Amino acid sequence: MTFRTVHEEQAGLKWQSLFDYHWPAYEPWYLSEGERERPSYLECYNALRHYMPELLETYRTLCALTGGGDLASRLLSLYRPPPYITGCSQAVLARPSSTVLARNYDYPPELCEGTILYTRWNQRRVIAMSDCLWGVLDGMNDSGLAVSLAFGGRKVVGDGFGAPIILRYILEFCDTVPEAAAVLERVPTHMAYNITVTDASGRYVTAMIAPDRRANIRRVAVATNHQKKIEWYAHALASETLIRERQLSILVDDGETTNERLISAFSAPPLFRHDYQRGLGTVYTSVYYPKEGLVEFRWPGRVLDLSFDKFCEEQIIVRYGLRGLYG
């Protein structure tokens, strides 16, 4: 697959080009359960207006760039989208001198958008791995707030938003972990996710959110693919969520662990996974340094260094196969 870095501070022709490129794949996915299963445009708009009204201006701009079509506008709201399942491991290492958020994104490579977007839609500069054209899988804003999502390991689906749009909202309008936690408590999600957040002050939380119960937000530095206890045993076994959680917990609890040691662990089993046949292989590793405003995207043999002051547009081709991943 091809990863692209795209710098466009105000949504315009570059974002429109991304939409035109990805829409042929997103449309059948959005309709995969039938159009009647998806909410109407009015339901989508009202849900955004109620829970994330500050996003409406950006939402309208993006809808206009798509041509104002009903179906595209409904998808862009990410309100009650089709369910989808990822793997993912993420951890914060907070030390007096530095804080780092690292994560592996485990997913079918052919379904990953692969767009790293640098935007300034609402005064804040944001660098994020995009999903569903403007949602966020992981990212950071220029206040030093960094976020990452992982599937929560539960089958429940309900009335709420896809987590990528909630993470976009957080990065656009929050500066600190307490502000982000308030959003995660308030905005409903359609599936179970584990959201890890950290900021430039070294604060961090992991929020276990789901549509059928209140968000559980704790000062926990590690998240994989279960919430409190295992509920979906087949997925837990296939994804090795407990093994990965234990590995990360040992690392962050060890006072001798450095940033480099934590980051290198994401390049090897059990955190780095080669199970691409079942859609649980590692697609990329991302590393965020909130205090420094630095971002790294990593693949075997390749590191892409980015920052708010240095962000070059380029393309990176990565090949995935049964024997592993090749930059």
Side-chain angles (χ1 to χ4, degrees):
M1 66 171 289
T2 300
F3 289 85
R4 297 174 176 85
T5 55
V6 178
H7 185 179
E8 188 177 50
E9 296 205 358
Q10 299 303 317
L13 292 177
K14 291 181 182 180
W15 188 89
Q16 188 178 50
S17 177
L18 289 170
F19 171 83
D20 291 340
Y21 179 80
H22 289 293
W23 178 243
Y26 275 122
E27 182 179 19
W29 168 73
Y30 192 67
L31 297 176
S32 59
E33 298 178 315
E35 186 174 352
R36 289 186 178 182
E37 292 300 311
R38 305 279 68 82
S40 68
Y41 170 74
L42 187 59
E43 289 177 287
C44 295
Y45 184 88
N46 286 338
L48 272 175
R49 184 176 62 177
H50 181 74
Y51 290 105
M52 297 181 278
E54 299 92 337
L55 268 185
L56 279 178
E57 183 176 351
T58 304
Y59 173 68
R60 293 190 195 102
T61 297
L62 298 182
C63 289
L65 287 170
T66 71
D70 174 76
L71 199 62
S73 299
R74 290 155 65 187
L75 180 146
L76 287 176
S77 74
L78 275 182
Y79 178 60
R80 283 166 39 197
Y84 50 93
I85 297 168
T86 65
C88 310
S89 309
Q90 55 205 31
V92 174
L93 186 65
R95 297 288 187 257
S97 59
S98 69
T99 300
V100 62
L101 168 62
R103 72 94 113 254
N104 275 357
Y105 184 65
D106 303 339
Y107 198 59
E110 66 274 15
L111 301 181
C112 182
E113 190 172 306
T115 304
I116 303 167
L117 268 179
Y118 182 149
T119 59
R120 194 173 187 174
W121 291 339
N122 297 283
Q123 306 308 315
R124 287 179 180 87
R125 293 175 294 170
V126 174
I127 296 174
M129 183 65 79
S130 177
D131 187 53
C132 294
L133 300 160
W134 69 312
V136 170
L137 296 175
D138 50 80
M140 182 172 67
N141 65 24
D142 59 7
S143 295
L145 185 68
V147 297
S148 177
L149 68 81
F151 174 58
R154 303 179 62 228
K155 294 182 179 181
V156 60
V157 178
D159 187 9
F161 293 90
I165 195 68
I166 302 175
L167 267 59
R168 169 62 68 179
Y169 180 57
I170 287 171
L171 291 182
E172 295 291 331
F173 299 104
C174 296
D175 292 318
T176 65
V177 164
E179 292 174 5
V183 170
L184 292 165
E185 285 184 318
R186 177 177 60 81
V187 178
T189 174
H190 82 128
M191 290 186 70
Y193 296 97
N194 298 329
I195 312 297
T196 300
V197 188
T198 189
D199 62 24
S201 298
R203 291 171 291 198
Y204 62 85
V205 296
T206 291
M208 296 181 179
I209 61 176
D212 61 338
R213 57 196 187 197
R214 293 184 61 181
N216 180 21
I217 301 177
R218 298 182 294 162
R219 193 174 183 272
V220 172
V222 169
T224 53
N225 303 123
H226 59 280
Q227 297 183 334
K228 296 184 180 179
K229 63 180 181 179
I230 300 298
E231 296 186 38
W232 187 357
Y233 288 92
H235 182 273
L237 185 63
S239 67
E240 298 181 319
T241 180
L242 289 174
I243 296 172
R244 290 181 288 116
E245 181 189 49
R246 177 173 172 77
Q247 172 81 356
L248 284 173
S249 296
I250 291 171
L251 283 168
V252 300
D253 290 342
D254 184 350
E256 300 300 315
T257 297
T258 62
N259 290 347
E260 292 73 22
R261 183 184 175 195
L262 175 70
I263 294 165
S264 66
F266 281 90
S267 299
L271 300 180
F272 194 99
R273 296 172 52 79
H274 297 94
D275 195 358
Y276 298 105
Q277 283 188 308
R278 290 192 291 182
L280 292 171
T282 298
V283 180
Y284 67 86
T285 302
S286 57
V287 185
Y288 295 92
Y289 301 87
K291 291 183 179 180
E292 297 83 357
L294 303 176
V295 181
E296 295 174 355
F297 289 94
R298 292 171 166 255
W299 303 268
R302 180 69 187 265
V303 178
L304 177 62
D305 294 304
L306 302 170
S307 72
F308 293 104
D309 298 323
K310 185 180 179 181
F311 188 98
C312 297
E313 292 191 314
E314 59 181 299
Q315 296 186 7
I316 297 173
I317 297 175
V318 181
R319 295 174 176 85
Y320 302 86
L322 296 180
R323 295 185 179 180
L325 178 155
Y326 310 89

PDB file of all heavy atoms in Angstrom, residues 70-99:
ATOM      1  N   ASP A  70     -25.807  13.438  -0.745  1.00  0.00           N
ATOM      2  CA  ASP A  70     -26.446  12.958   0.492  1.00  0.00           C
ATOM      3  C   ASP A  70     -25.641  11.835   1.139  1.00  0.00           C
ATOM      4  O   ASP A  70     -25.337  11.876   2.338  1.00  0.00           O
ATOM      5  CB  ASP A  70     -27.858  12.473   0.168  1.00  0.00           C
ATOM      6  CG  ASP A  70     -28.535  11.822   1.369  1.00  0.00           C
ATOM      7  OD1 ASP A  70     -28.968  12.563   2.279  1.00  0.00           O
ATOM      8  OD2 ASP A  70     -28.616  10.576   1.409  1.00  0.00           O
ATOM      9  N   LEU A  71     -25.257  10.836   0.351  1.00  0.00           N
ATOM     10  CA  LEU A  71     -24.597   9.667   0.920  1.00  0.00           C
ATOM     11  C   LEU A  71     -23.226  10.019   1.484  1.00  0.00           C
ATOM     12  O   LEU A  71     -22.867   9.598   2.589  1.00  0.00           O
ATOM     13  CB  LEU A  71     -24.468   8.575  -0.141  1.00  0.00           C
ATOM     14  CG  LEU A  71     -24.220   7.162   0.377  1.00  0.00           C
ATOM     15  CD1 LEU A  71     -25.385   6.700   1.240  1.00  0.00           C
ATOM     16  CD2 LEU A  71     -24.016   6.210  -0.798  1.00  0.00           C
ATOM     17  N   ALA A  72     -22.458  10.803   0.740  1.00  0.00           N
ATOM     18  CA  ALA A  72     -21.131  11.194   1.219  1.00  0.00           C
ATOM     19  C   ALA A  72     -21.235  12.023   2.489  1.00  0.00           C
ATOM     20  O   ALA A  72     -20.435  11.869   3.412  1.00  0.00           O
ATOM     21  CB  ALA A  72     -20.394  11.976   0.137  1.00  0.00           C
ATOM     22  N   SER A  73     -22.217  12.895   2.552  1.00  0.00           N
ATOM     23  CA  SER A  73     -22.388  13.734   3.741  1.00  0.00           C
ATOM     24  C   SER A  73     -22.745  12.893   4.956  1.00  0.00           C
ATOM     25  O   SER A  73     -22.285  13.165   6.073  1.00  0.00           O
ATOM     26  CB  SER A  73     -23.471  14.790   3.488  1.00  0.00           C
ATOM     27  OG  SER A  73     -23.107  15.649   2.419  1.00  0.00           O
ATOM     28  N   ARG A  74     -23.560  11.868   4.745  1.00  0.00           N
ATOM     29  CA  ARG A  74     -23.909  10.986   5.858  1.00  0.00           C
ATOM     30  C   ARG A  74     -22.686  10.220   6.347  1.00  0.00           C
ATOM     31  O   ARG A  74     -22.454  10.094   7.551  1.00  0.00           O
ATOM     32  CB  ARG A  74     -25.016  10.029   5.414  1.00  0.00           C
ATOM     33  CG  ARG A  74     -26.356  10.736   5.213  1.00  0.00           C
ATOM     34  CD  ARG A  74     -27.265  10.000   4.243  1.00  0.00           C
ATOM     35  NE  ARG A  74     -27.684   8.698   4.742  1.00  0.00           N
ATOM     36  CZ  ARG A  74     -28.366   7.816   4.002  1.00  0.00           C
ATOM     37  NH1 ARG A  74     -28.681   8.098   2.746  1.00  0.00           N
ATOM     38  NH2 ARG A  74     -28.724   6.655   4.514  1.00  0.00           N
ATOM     39  N   LEU A  75     -21.877   9.711   5.426  1.00  0.00           N
ATOM     40  CA  LEU A  75     -20.677   8.984   5.824  1.00  0.00           C
ATOM     41  C   LEU A  75     -19.725   9.889   6.594  1.00  0.00           C
ATOM     42  O   LEU A  75     -19.160   9.484   7.615  1.00  0.00           O
ATOM     43  CB  LEU A  75     -19.972   8.406   4.601  1.00  0.00           C
ATOM     44  CG  LEU A  75     -18.684   7.615   4.882  1.00  0.00           C
ATOM     45  CD1 LEU A  75     -18.539   6.466   3.896  1.00  0.00           C
ATOM     46  CD2 LEU A  75     -17.432   8.481   4.827  1.00  0.00           C
ATOM     47  N   LEU A  76     -19.528  11.120   6.118  1.00  0.00           N
ATOM     48  CA  LEU A  76     -18.566  12.017   6.751  1.00  0.00           C
ATOM     49  C   LEU A  76     -18.932  12.353   8.193  1.00  0.00           C
ATOM     50  O   LEU A  76     -18.065  12.692   8.993  1.00  0.00           O
ATOM     51  CB  LEU A  76     -18.434  13.311   5.943  1.00  0.00           C
ATOM     52  CG  LEU A  76     -17.671  13.204   4.623  1.00  0.00           C
ATOM     53  CD1 LEU A  76     -17.699  14.536   3.892  1.00  0.00           C
ATOM     54  CD2 LEU A  76     -16.238  12.749   4.856  1.00  0.00           C
ATOM     55  N   SER A  77     -20.194  12.246   8.546  1.00  0.00           N
ATOM     56  CA  SER A  77     -20.591  12.495   9.937  1.00  0.00           C
ATOM     57  C   SER A  77     -20.059  11.410  10.867  1.00  0.00           C
ATOM     58  O   SER A  77     -19.925  11.622  12.074  1.00  0.00           O
ATOM     59  CB  SER A  77     -22.114  12.560  10.058  1.00  0.00           C
ATOM     60  OG  SER A  77     -22.692  11.264   9.962  1.00  0.00           O
ATOM     61  N   LEU A  78     -19.794  10.215  10.304  1.00  0.00           N
ATOM     62  CA  LEU A  78     -19.385   9.040  11.074  1.00  0.00           C
ATOM     63  C   LEU A  78     -20.344   8.744  12.226  1.00  0.00           C
ATOM     64  O   LEU A  78     -19.950   8.200  13.250  1.00  0.00           O
ATOM     65  CB  LEU A  78     -17.952   9.173  11.593  1.00  0.00           C
ATOM     66  CG  LEU A  78     -16.868   8.735  10.606  1.00  0.00           C
ATOM     67  CD1 LEU A  78     -15.492   8.848  11.237  1.00  0.00           C
ATOM     68  CD2 LEU A  78     -17.100   7.342  10.091  1.00  0.00           C
ATOM     69  N   TYR A  79     -21.599   9.099  12.017  1.00  0.00           N
ATOM     70  CA  TYR A  79     -22.632   8.779  12.995  1.00  0.00           C
ATOM     71  C   TYR A  79     -23.259   7.444  12.619  1.00  0.00           C
ATOM     72  O   TYR A  79     -23.735   7.263  11.503  1.00  0.00           O
ATOM     73  CB  TYR A  79     -23.683   9.883  13.031  1.00  0.00           C
ATOM     74  CG  TYR A  79     -24.824   9.629  13.982  1.00  0.00           C
ATOM     75  CD1 TYR A  79     -24.592   9.457  15.348  1.00  0.00           C
ATOM     76  CD2 TYR A  79     -26.145   9.557  13.522  1.00  0.00           C
ATOM     77  CE1 TYR A  79     -25.628   9.216  16.224  1.00  0.00           C
ATOM     78  CE2 TYR A  79     -27.193   9.332  14.403  1.00  0.00           C
ATOM     79  CZ  TYR A  79     -26.928   9.154  15.749  1.00  0.00           C
ATOM     80  OH  TYR A  79     -27.973   8.923  16.628  1.00  0.00           O
ATOM     81  N   ARG A  80     -23.187   6.490  13.529  1.00  0.00           N
ATOM     82  CA  ARG A  80     -23.700   5.132  13.332  1.00  0.00           C
ATOM     83  C   ARG A  80     -23.205   4.523  12.025  1.00  0.00           C
ATOM     84  O   ARG A  80     -23.980   4.070  11.185  1.00  0.00           O
ATOM     85  CB  ARG A  80     -25.218   5.123  13.387  1.00  0.00           C
ATOM     86  CG  ARG A  80     -25.746   5.216  14.815  1.00  0.00           C
ATOM     87  CD  ARG A  80     -27.218   5.548  14.900  1.00  0.00           C
ATOM     88  NE  ARG A  80     -28.027   4.889  13.897  1.00  0.00           N
ATOM     89  CZ  ARG A  80     -29.279   5.277  13.569  1.00  0.00           C
ATOM     90  NH1 ARG A  80     -29.811   6.321  14.184  1.00  0.00           N
ATOM     91  NH2 ARG A  80     -29.955   4.630  12.653  1.00  0.00           N
ATOM     92  N   PRO A  81     -21.887   4.467  11.819  1.00  0.00           N
ATOM     93  CA  PRO A  81     -21.350   3.822  10.614  1.00  0.00           C
ATOM     94  C   PRO A  81     -21.401   2.310  10.759  1.00  0.00           C
ATOM     95  O   PRO A  81     -21.709   1.794  11.834  1.00  0.00           O
ATOM     96  CB  PRO A  81     -19.899   4.324  10.588  1.00  0.00           C
ATOM     97  CG  PRO A  81     -19.557   4.456  12.043  1.00  0.00           C
ATOM     98  CD  PRO A  81     -20.816   4.960  12.702  1.00  0.00           C
ATOM     99  N   PRO A  82     -21.082   1.562   9.703  1.00  0.00           N
ATOM    100  CA  PRO A  82     -20.986   0.109   9.850  1.00  0.00           C
ATOM    101  C   PRO A  82     -19.897  -0.235  10.870  1.00  0.00           C
ATOM    102  O   PRO A  82     -18.900   0.482  10.993  1.00  0.00           O
ATOM    103  CB  PRO A  82     -20.578  -0.357   8.443  1.00  0.00           C
ATOM    104  CG  PRO A  82     -21.003   0.736   7.528  1.00  0.00           C
ATOM    105  CD  PRO A  82     -20.846   1.998   8.307  1.00  0.00           C
ATOM    106  N   PRO A  83     -20.074  -1.318  11.608  1.00  0.00           N
ATOM    107  CA  PRO A  83     -19.040  -1.708  12.577  1.00  0.00           C
ATOM    108  C   PRO A  83     -17.791  -2.213  11.889  1.00  0.00           C
ATOM    109  O   PRO A  83     -17.851  -2.770  10.794  1.00  0.00           O
ATOM    110  CB  PRO A  83     -19.719  -2.825  13.375  1.00  0.00           C
ATOM    111  CG  PRO A  83     -20.759  -3.375  12.467  1.00  0.00           C
ATOM    112  CD  PRO A  83     -21.232  -2.225  11.632  1.00  0.00           C
ATOM    113  N   TYR A  84     -16.644  -1.990  12.519  1.00  0.00           N
ATOM    114  CA  TYR A  84     -15.397  -2.534  11.999  1.00  0.00           C
ATOM    115  C   TYR A  84     -14.472  -2.825  13.169  1.00  0.00           C
ATOM    116  O   TYR A  84     -14.552  -2.208  14.218  1.00  0.00           O
ATOM    117  CB  TYR A  84     -14.732  -1.585  10.998  1.00  0.00           C
ATOM    118  CG  TYR A  84     -14.582  -0.158  11.454  1.00  0.00           C
ATOM    119  CD1 TYR A  84     -13.425   0.282  12.083  1.00  0.00           C
ATOM    120  CD2 TYR A  84     -15.603   0.759  11.237  1.00  0.00           C
ATOM    121  CE1 TYR A  84     -13.289   1.604  12.497  1.00  0.00           C
ATOM    122  CE2 TYR A  84     -15.480   2.080  11.638  1.00  0.00           C
ATOM    123  CZ  TYR A  84     -14.310   2.497  12.258  1.00  0.00           C
ATOM    124  OH  TYR A  84     -14.183   3.799  12.665  1.00  0.00           O
ATOM    125  N   ILE A  85     -13.583  -3.804  12.959  1.00  0.00           N
ATOM    126  CA  ILE A  85     -12.773  -4.343  14.058  1.00  0.00           C
ATOM    127  C   ILE A  85     -11.297  -4.212  13.725  1.00  0.00           C
ATOM    128  O   ILE A  85     -10.865  -4.553  12.623  1.00  0.00           O
ATOM    129  CB  ILE A  85     -13.129  -5.820  14.299  1.00  0.00           C
ATOM    130  CG1 ILE A  85     -14.599  -5.946  14.729  1.00  0.00           C
ATOM    131  CG2 ILE A  85     -12.218  -6.437  15.351  1.00  0.00           C
ATOM    132  CD1 ILE A  85     -15.113  -7.368  14.718  1.00  0.00           C
ATOM    133  N   THR A  86     -10.526  -3.704  14.674  1.00  0.00           N
ATOM    134  CA  THR A  86      -9.077  -3.598  14.520  1.00  0.00           C
ATOM    135  C   THR A  86      -8.386  -4.349  15.650  1.00  0.00           C
ATOM    136  O   THR A  86      -9.037  -4.870  16.559  1.00  0.00           O
ATOM    137  CB  THR A  86      -8.629  -2.124  14.554  1.00  0.00           C
ATOM    138  OG1 THR A  86      -8.902  -1.588  15.863  1.00  0.00           O
ATOM    139  CG2 THR A  86      -9.369  -1.298  13.519  1.00  0.00           C
ATOM    140  N   GLY A  87      -7.072  -4.393  15.572  1.00  0.00           N
ATOM    141  CA  GLY A  87      -6.292  -4.916  16.694  1.00  0.00           C
ATOM    142  C   GLY A  87      -5.767  -3.728  17.486  1.00  0.00           C
ATOM    143  O   GLY A  87      -6.503  -3.027  18.125  1.00  0.00           O
ATOM    144  N   CYS A  88      -4.476  -3.492  17.432  1.00  0.00           N
ATOM    145  CA  CYS A  88      -3.802  -2.306  17.978  1.00  0.00           C
ATOM    146  C   CYS A  88      -3.290  -2.485  19.407  1.00  0.00           C
ATOM    147  O   CYS A  88      -3.950  -3.071  20.268  1.00  0.00           O
ATOM    148  CB  CYS A  88      -4.654  -1.053  17.906  1.00  0.00           C
ATOM    149  SG  CYS A  88      -5.364  -0.756  16.275  1.00  0.00           S
ATOM    150  N   SER A  89      -2.088  -1.957  19.620  1.00  0.00           N
ATOM    151  CA  SER A  89      -1.456  -1.865  20.941  1.00  0.00           C
ATOM    152  C   SER A  89      -0.991  -0.429  21.103  1.00  0.00           C
ATOM    153  O   SER A  89      -0.470   0.166  20.155  1.00  0.00           O
ATOM    154  CB  SER A  89      -0.240  -2.798  21.036  1.00  0.00           C
ATOM    155  OG  SER A  89      -0.538  -4.111  20.630  1.00  0.00           O
ATOM    156  N   GLN A  90      -1.129   0.131  22.292  1.00  0.00           N
ATOM    157  CA  GLN A  90      -0.698   1.509  22.512  1.00  0.00           C
ATOM    158  C   GLN A  90      -0.269   1.691  23.963  1.00  0.00           C
ATOM    159  O   GLN A  90      -0.801   1.049  24.866  1.00  0.00           O
ATOM    160  CB  GLN A  90      -1.808   2.498  22.142  1.00  0.00           C
ATOM    161  CG  GLN A  90      -3.125   2.264  22.853  1.00  0.00           C
ATOM    162  CD  GLN A  90      -4.325   2.797  22.098  1.00  0.00           C
ATOM    163  OE1 GLN A  90      -4.336   2.836  20.868  1.00  0.00           O
ATOM    164  NE2 GLN A  90      -5.354   3.210  22.818  1.00  0.00           N
ATOM    165  N   ALA A  91       0.717   2.583  24.146  1.00  0.00           N
ATOM    166  CA  ALA A  91       1.239   2.784  25.494  1.00  0.00           C
ATOM    167  C   ALA A  91       1.864   4.169  25.603  1.00  0.00           C
ATOM    168  O   ALA A  91       2.439   4.689  24.641  1.00  0.00           O
ATOM    169  CB  ALA A  91       2.280   1.725  25.842  1.00  0.00           C
ATOM    170  N   VAL A  92       1.755   4.741  26.808  1.00  0.00           N
ATOM    171  CA  VAL A  92       2.405   6.004  27.142  1.00  0.00           C
ATOM    172  C   VAL A  92       3.540   5.719  28.109  1.00  0.00           C
ATOM    173  O   VAL A  92       3.368   4.980  29.087  1.00  0.00           O
ATOM    174  CB  VAL A  92       1.411   6.988  27.800  1.00  0.00           C
ATOM    175  CG1 VAL A  92       2.139   8.243  28.289  1.00  0.00           C
ATOM    176  CG2 VAL A  92       0.300   7.358  26.832  1.00  0.00           C
ATOM    177  N   LEU A  93       4.705   6.282  27.827  1.00  0.00           N
ATOM    178  CA  LEU A  93       5.822   6.240  28.763  1.00  0.00           C
ATOM    179  C   LEU A  93       6.066   7.683  29.225  1.00  0.00           C
ATOM    180  O   LEU A  93       6.534   8.525  28.446  1.00  0.00           O
ATOM    181  CB  LEU A  93       7.077   5.675  28.107  1.00  0.00           C
ATOM    182  CG  LEU A  93       8.269   5.452  29.046  1.00  0.00           C
ATOM    183  CD1 LEU A  93       7.942   4.369  30.077  1.00  0.00           C
ATOM    184  CD2 LEU A  93       9.513   5.068  28.250  1.00  0.00           C
ATOM    185  N   ALA A  94       5.694   7.961  30.465  1.00  0.00           N
ATOM    186  CA  ALA A  94       5.814   9.315  31.016  1.00  0.00           C
ATOM    187  C   ALA A  94       6.976   9.364  31.988  1.00  0.00           C
ATOM    188  O   ALA A  94       6.978   8.667  33.001  1.00  0.00           O
ATOM    189  CB  ALA A  94       4.514   9.721  31.707  1.00  0.00           C
ATOM    190  N   ARG A  95       7.946  10.173  31.667  1.00  0.00           N
ATOM    191  CA  ARG A  95       9.114  10.385  32.511  1.00  0.00           C
ATOM    192  C   ARG A  95       9.247  11.881  32.777  1.00  0.00           C
ATOM    193  O   ARG A  95       8.710  12.703  32.017  1.00  0.00           O
ATOM    194  CB  ARG A  95      10.375   9.859  31.822  1.00  0.00           C
ATOM    195  CG  ARG A  95      10.369   8.346  31.572  1.00  0.00           C
ATOM    196  CD  ARG A  95      10.534   7.585  32.871  1.00  0.00           C
ATOM    197  NE  ARG A  95      10.709   6.149  32.665  1.00  0.00           N
ATOM    198  CZ  ARG A  95       9.759   5.250  32.861  1.00  0.00           C
ATOM    199  NH1 ARG A  95       8.548   5.651  33.248  1.00  0.00           N
ATOM    200  NH2 ARG A  95       9.999   3.968  32.691  1.00  0.00           N
ATOM    201  N   PRO A  96       9.937  12.295  33.835  1.00  0.00           N
ATOM    202  CA  PRO A  96      10.076  13.733  34.123  1.00  0.00           C
ATOM    203  C   PRO A  96      10.639  14.532  32.954  1.00  0.00           C
ATOM    204  O   PRO A  96      10.260  15.691  32.741  1.00  0.00           O
ATOM    205  CB  PRO A  96      11.035  13.752  35.321  1.00  0.00           C
ATOM    206  CG  PRO A  96      10.803  12.442  36.010  1.00  0.00           C
ATOM    207  CD  PRO A  96      10.552  11.468  34.897  1.00  0.00           C
ATOM    208  N   SER A  97      11.515  13.917  32.168  1.00  0.00           N
ATOM    209  CA  SER A  97      12.165  14.645  31.083  1.00  0.00           C
ATOM    210  C   SER A  97      11.419  14.574  29.760  1.00  0.00           C
ATOM    211  O   SER A  97      11.610  15.428  28.884  1.00  0.00           O
ATOM    212  CB  SER A  97      13.577  14.106  30.875  1.00  0.00           C
ATOM    213  OG  SER A  97      13.542  12.718  30.559  1.00  0.00           O
ATOM    214  N   SER A  98      10.560  13.560  29.601  1.00  0.00           N
ATOM    215  CA  SER A  98       9.878  13.406  28.320  1.00  0.00           C
ATOM    216  C   SER A  98       8.669  12.500  28.460  1.00  0.00           C
ATOM    217  O   SER A  98       8.554  11.723  29.413  1.00  0.00           O
ATOM    218  CB  SER A  98      10.834  12.829  27.264  1.00  0.00           C
ATOM    219  OG  SER A  98      11.151  11.484  27.576  1.00  0.00           O
ATOM    220  N   THR A  99       7.775  12.606  27.487  1.00  0.00           N
ATOM    221  CA  THR A  99       6.607  11.731  27.399  1.00  0.00           C
ATOM    222  C   THR A  99       6.503  11.247  25.964  1.00  0.00           C
ATOM    223  O   THR A  99       6.729  12.010  25.019  1.00  0.00           O
ATOM    224  CB  THR A  99       5.321  12.482  27.777  1.00  0.00           C
ATOM    225  OG1 THR A  99       5.431  12.963  29.118  1.00  0.00           O
ATOM    226  CG2 THR A  99       4.102  11.569  27.673  1.00  0.00           C
TER     227      THR A  99
END
